Amino acid sequence: MAQVLTQTGQQRIVLFQNGQLGSTLSLPCPPGASASFFQFADLVDAVVVPGEAVALLYRGANATEPALVLAWDLHSDQMKWAHRAKGAHLALSPDRHSVFLFGEGGVSILDLAGAARASVLQVELPQEVGEVSGLLPTGSRSFLAAHAAGLSAWHQGSWTHTKAPTPSPLGFGRNLGTLAGSVKSAWWQPEPGLLMPLDPKGVPEESRNLKALLPEAAALDADLLRLLGVDESGALWFGLARPTLPSAPVSVREAAQPVAGEPSPEPSPSMPAAQPPAPSRDQWEAHLKQGLDRVYRWKPGEETMTALAWAEAWKNLAPPAGFVPPTGDAGLRPEAGALTFGAPERLWWLPMRALQPR
C-alpha cells in the first residue's frame, strides 16, 4: 500500500499485490478531521482484508494531535467510519473483524465490520504495562502486549502479567519488546538476544539458545539479534541491534523466569558446566566496527540460521547504474514477504525471495 500526495484535500492510496498495481482509492476528508490535518497527514500503518476492507492510520506533524484511523469498504468504494485517538500502529484480529490501535496511551479496539460508525472498546493500560511496544491480537477483543516491564495479556476484561527477564548487560534502548507470529505459533522477544516461544495461552516458554543456531564465527551476533517478524512460511527474520555498551559487557545473562509467580527449579547437585570466557569490551567494540549490515532467517526445526549480507544481496541482483540501494532493515516486512524503500518521493517494492541466496 502506497500513499500518493495530491494536495487537493483528498488522500490517494494505491494498493499493490505481489508487486502488481491493484486498486486506487480516493479518500475524502472524514468528519472529525480538519482539512489541514488530512491533506498533509502521513500514512504510517495499514491493515488489509483482501476484497473486503482496509484500515488506514494517519498521523499529522503535531505529535500531540490524535491519530486518525479510517476504514474503507472495498466493495462499495466508500468510507465505513473514521476514528480519532492516540496511537502509532495497527494490528488485525485473527478473525479479521477487529483492528487494534496501540503505541501511545491505551489500546483502542475498533470493529472493522461496523457500518457508518466505529464500535470502539477502549482498554486502559495498568501501571504494570506502561507504553505498548508490540501487540499480538489473540481474538476479536483480546491481545498480548509487549512492553518495557514484560509481557501482559488482556482476556475477558482482565489482565495477567509476566515480568521481563534480566536486561542484557550490553545495554539496549527501552521499549524494544516485540511480538510476532500468530495465535498458533507466537514469539516474544523482550529485547535483542532473547527469544521465547509462547504456548497457545500466551505463556512464555524457555528461551531459545540463539548461539546454537549460529556458526562460531558469528557467535557475537546472537546477543544482538532483533526480531523483525515472521513470514508466511513460519520463518523468523532478524536484524542486528546496536548496543550502548554502558560498562564492561558480558554475554552471560541471568536465566529467565518467564512465568511470573512460578517457583524456581531446584538447583542441580551436579557440578555446573564450565562457561566460556565472556567477550571483553574491546572484542565487542571491534565486532561492532565491522558493521551490522546483515539479516538472519531461521525456520523453527532447522538447526542453523541463514545469513544474508545486504552488500552481497544487492550485488547478486545486479541493480541498474545509478540505483542507490537502501541500507539497513527498516523497510523489511516479513509478514508481507517484501522489502519496501525509497519513500516519500518514490516507492520501490522487492520480494524478499529476490534477496535470498539461490
Side-chain angles (χ1 to χ4, degrees):
M1 189 170 293
Q3 177 185 31
V4 180
L5 297 179
T6 63
Q7 298 185 1
T8 63
Q10 290 190 329
Q11 285 271 4
R12 182 168 295 170
I13 302 297
V14 180
L15 278 70
F16 294 85
Q17 186 171 6
N18 296 325
Q20 301 300 314
L21 179 63
S23 307
T24 299
L25 313 177
S26 294
L27 314 178
C29 182
S34 66
S36 60
F37 168 87
F38 191 65
Q39 185 173 353
F40 297 102
D42 288 328
L43 178 68
V44 296
D45 205 354
V47 296
V48 184
V49 179
E52 298 291 334
V54 298
L56 309 166
L57 176 60
Y58 288 100
R59 293 179 60 126
N62 185 352
T64 62
E65 191 173 10
L68 167 69
V69 184
L70 189 154
W72 191 265
D73 191 318
L74 294 176
H75 288 298
S76 63
D77 199 28
Q78 296 289 328
M79 186 184 305
K80 294 167 67 69
W81 49 256
H83 178 71
R84 301 294 300 273
K86 288 187 176 181
H89 306 283
L90 294 178
L92 185 65
S93 65
D95 60 10
R96 299 185 172 188
H97 290 168
S98 302
V99 174
F100 294 72
L101 172 65
F102 67 97
E104 294 175 355
V107 176
S108 300
I109 305 177
L110 307 164
D111 185 4
L112 190 57
R117 192 170 184 177
S119 173
V120 184
L121 173 61
Q122 186 68 29
V123 181
E124 299 298 328
L125 302 180
Q127 185 177 1
E128 294 91 338
V129 175
E131 184 175 334
V132 173
S133 57
L135 185 141
L136 181 68
T138 56
S140 60
R141 290 291 187 271
S142 60
F143 59 88
L144 299 172
H147 48 88
L151 179 70
S152 298
W154 167 265
H155 182 68
Q156 295 183 346
S158 63
W159 288 95
T160 56
H161 305 287
T162 299
K163 187 178 179 181
T166 303
S168 167
L170 296 178
F172 294 102
R174 289 177 54 82
N175 291 332
L176 289 177
T178 303
L179 287 163
S182 64
V183 178
K184 295 181 179 179
S185 179
W187 302 84
W188 174 39
Q189 186 177 57
E191 67 172 357
L194 271 179
L195 182 67
M196 296 182 178
L198 302 178
D199 71 11
K201 294 183 179 180
V203 177
E205 299 177 342
E206 184 180 356
S207 58
R208 291 297 172 94
N209 183 355
L210 298 178
K211 282 186 171 62
L213 302 174
L214 296 178
E216 185 176 352
L220 290 183
D221 278 357
D223 287 331
L224 310 179
L225 290 172
R226 179 173 60 89
L227 182 59
L228 301 176
V230 179
D231 65 25
E232 62 179 5
S233 74
L236 283 67
W237 288 78
F238 299 86
L240 296 177
R242 184 172 291 275
T244 60
L245 303 182
S247 59
V250 295
S251 62
V252 179
R253 64 172 102 206
E254 294 179 20
Q257 295 294 330
V259 183
E262 283 198 357
S264 300
E266 293 295 326
S268 171
S270 60
M271 292 295 292
Q275 293 288 341
S280 67
R281 185 184 183 90
D282 288 344
Q283 287 175 303
W284 274 112
E285 290 178 344
H287 182 71
L288 297 176
K289 285 180 180 178
Q290 294 175 8
L292 303 177
D293 55 342
R294 53 195 172 276
V295 293
Y296 288 89
R297 177 186 182 275
W298 174 62
K299 190 166 185 179
E302 296 180 353
E303 296 183 356
T304 58
M305 289 187 177
T306 301
L308 174 67
W310 287 118
E312 287 298 318
W314 287 108
K315 186 190 303 181
N316 293 338
L317 282 175
F323 179 81
V324 180
T327 57
D329 51 40
L332 199 63
R333 301 287 183 267
E335 291 82 1
L339 174 71
T340 59
F341 58 95
E345 289 81 10
R346 64 181 65 188
L347 183 69
W348 294 88
W349 180 96
L350 187 70
M352 286 163 51
R353 62 178 178 272
L355 292 170
Q356 299 177 50
R358 293 174 174 80

